[in-house]
């Protein structure tokens, strides 16, 4: 135990830091989706007759890219609300 901080508080603090780091995973998909939407809009501008194909391909790519951000969000929610590390520590009985 660090002086002045209980072990449970230390584990909860580390879980909060881990949740924050997991949310960094949302930055990449956000940038990628914005770039894909911009490129899709430019492609529709160049070839308006292919609007349907370009839009469906862009949306499929964005859906695949979004999964990384959703995984990060799920991990952050688990770390903050389910508290698996604290449960494991308490199960040790230290």
């Amino acid at each position: 135990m660090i002086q002045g901080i209980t072990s449970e508080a230390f584990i909860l603090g580390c879980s909060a830091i881990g949740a924050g780091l997991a949310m960094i995973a949302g930055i990449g998909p956000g940038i990628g989706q914005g770039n894909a939407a911009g490129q899709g809009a430019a492609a529709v501008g160049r070839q308006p007759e292919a609007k349907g194909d370009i839009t469906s391909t862009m949306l499929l790519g964005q859906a695949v890219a979004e999964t990384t951000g959703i995984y990060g969000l799920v991990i952050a929610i688990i770390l903050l609300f389910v508290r698996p590390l604290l449960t494991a520590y308490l199960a040790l009985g230290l």
Side-chain angles (χ1 to χ4, degrees):
M1 178 177 88
I2 299 173
Q3 188 166 358
I5 299 175
T6 64
S7 298
E8 290 84 6
F10 182 73
I11 291 171
L12 289 175
C14 289
S15 295
I17 291 171
L21 291 174
M23 290 308 299
I24 291 175
I27 294 173
I31 293 170
Q33 288 178 351
N35 189 19
Q39 295 297 322
V44 169
R46 285 191 305 269
Q47 293 181 326
E49 67 276 2
K51 178 182 176 185
D53 291 337
I54 293 170
T55 302
S56 62
T57 303
M58 180 188 67
L59 289 177
L60 179 64
Q62 287 184 344
V64 171
E66 184 63 30
T67 57
T68 306
I70 292 172
Y71 290 150
L73 177 65
V74 168
I75 295 299
I77 288 173
I78 289 172
L79 285 174
L80 288 178
F81 297 109
V82 178
R83 299 176 180 174
L85 300 176
L86 184 61
T87 304
Y89 173 74
L90 293 176
L92 291 175
L94 298 176

